[in-house]
Amino acid sequence: MSRLCEDRVVIVTGAARGIGREYALQLAAHGAKVVVNDLGAARDGIGRDLSAAQAVVDEIRAAGGIAIANGDDVSDWQGARRMVETTVEHFGGLHALVNNAGILRDRTLVNMEESEWDAVIQVHLKGTFAPSHHAAAYWRALQKESGQPVNARIINTSSSSGLFGNIGQCNYGAAKAGIAAMTIIAARELKRYGVTVNAISPHAQTRMTESLRERTPEEIAARHPRWIAPVVVWLASAQSEEVTGRLFEVGGGFLAALEGWHRGPEAEPVDDPERIGPVLLDLARRARRNADMKGKDLD
């Protein structure tokens, strides 16, 4: 019986632990040839150790799958290029890119250091853009050479912290909101080349999240990465070609399509600052309230 991702070549960044590891394992189980990318850094992004990525590769190979380890820095322009080029050279192609790598440097706005802002934006936002750019450039060249759509995928990782807002995560939330916007725009740009772009907002119990707050055993079980990986496996497959520009909330008991910004209550334009106040107050009061971290209206 044919598997969902049979012979598809997939890069998974940040794949040595947590959600990324589960992605790599399930993709390989469904026939994908997986590039397990990970610096092996600590939760805050410090340090390097390729042994964690190699351990995932060894696990995949022991189960009869195909995988290689890669230690390139996805937030480095040349590193991201090298990762894509190495993948194509080794496996003869690339069909999907899963942008999953990330770090945390949580702190409130007034306490956040410039370096904490820069590091998180670098890894999450540039670390999504740089691999996506180089992968898209490869697919565009391939499509122009062959004249046929390449049926390729980019799967990004956003977060409820960016979509709904979470105190203490201005840097992380800003990056994840940016990734959501990048997903929608890139989906429109790359459609002509046969590339879909989607994102997920995962709820998972990993080393990135386990210290944020205490959870019940039931909550931890619902946040196991096994609930999230099937979405990525299907999105990486050839079967998902009609789905693009979408964000899915997955894990923690959720499986939902997220809906972006829409224009709310309206009023006639006003060109006088002294008269516009009551109009804005009325619009703000009639507009739907912002959502909490569970996607529900704030109290």
Side-chain angles (χ1 to χ4, degrees):
M1 183 175 68
S2 180
R3 295 172 291 182
L4 271 176
C5 293
E6 198 73 61
D7 292 327
R8 285 175 74 79
V9 178
V10 184
I11 295 172
V12 183
T13 71
R17 301 178 180 87
I19 305 176
R21 172 181 174 274
E22 191 73 16
Y23 292 166
L25 293 176
Q26 288 203 25
L27 282 161
H30 279 272
K33 300 172 183 177
V34 183
V35 177
V36 179
N37 164 266
D38 205 296
L39 284 178
R43 182 171 175 264
D44 60 3
I46 296 175
R48 290 197 178 199
D49 181 5
L50 192 60
S51 65
Q54 187 59 49
V56 178
V57 170
D58 294 343
E59 190 173 355
I60 289 172
R61 290 175 176 173
I66 300 172
I68 60 171
N70 176 273
D72 285 315
D73 183 349
V74 296
S75 69
D76 176 78
W77 189 252
Q78 296 304 326
R81 182 200 299 273
R82 187 166 52 247
M83 179 179 66
V84 170
E85 291 178 347
T86 300
T87 298
V88 173
E89 289 170 4
H90 187 88
F91 287 122
L94 173 64
H95 301 97
L97 166 67
V98 182
N99 289 307
N100 170 72
I103 65 170
L104 287 179
R105 301 278 181 91
D106 291 354
R107 206 178 295 274
T108 59
L109 179 65
V110 296
N111 292 318
M112 187 173 293
E113 300 289 339
E114 181 182 14
S115 61
E116 294 167 330
W117 172 272
D118 289 346
V120 170
I121 296 298
Q122 176 85 2
V123 173
H124 286 277
L125 200 51
K126 187 177 179 183
T128 295
F129 163 67
S132 297
H133 166 84
H134 293 301
Y138 163 73
W139 289 321
R140 179 182 63 179
L142 191 63
Q143 193 267 352
K144 286 186 174 181
E145 290 172 5
S146 68
Q148 299 295 322
V150 295
N151 204 11
R153 310 281 179 263
I154 294 175
I155 304 164
N156 295 327
T157 307
S158 186
S159 170
S160 53
S161 294
L163 302 172
F164 305 137
N166 192 31
I167 292 173
Q169 291 191 314
C170 274
N171 49 4
Y172 180 76
K176 291 305 189 183
I179 289 169
M182 188 192 311
T183 297
I184 295 167
I185 297 165
R188 295 173 183 172
E189 292 180 352
L190 300 181
K191 183 178 181 179
R192 73 188 73 175
Y193 306 122
V195 181
T196 68
V197 188
N198 294 286
I200 62 165
S201 174
H203 298 277
Q205 191 76 1
T206 68
R207 68 171 184 160
M208 286 265 291
T209 61
E210 61 188 3
S211 63
L212 297 181
R213 72 177 180 88
E214 291 187 7
R215 301 185 189 277
T216 67
E218 292 77 15
E219 287 176 322
I220 292 173
R223 292 169 64 87
H224 192 283
R226 72 186 182 90
W227 296 105
I228 302 165
V231 174
V232 168
V233 173
W234 186 81
L235 287 174
S237 76
Q239 294 184 10
S240 64
E241 60 184 333
E242 73 174 74
V243 179
T244 193
R246 293 296 185 182
L247 279 75
F248 296 96
E249 185 178 20
V250 193
F254 297 101
L255 178 56
L258 291 163
E259 298 176 341
W261 288 96
H262 292 269
R263 186 174 293 116
E266 298 183 60
E268 290 297 320
V270 177
D271 62 358
D272 183 351
E274 295 184 356
R275 290 191 299 111
I276 205 168
V279 178
L280 295 179
L281 283 170
D282 175 65
L283 290 175
R285 288 166 179 163
R286 288 193 288 127
R288 182 174 177 177
R289 298 183 65 82
N290 291 338
D292 62 17
M293 284 288 285
K294 294 183 178 179
K296 306 298 182 183
D297 288 355
L298 284 167
D299 294 332

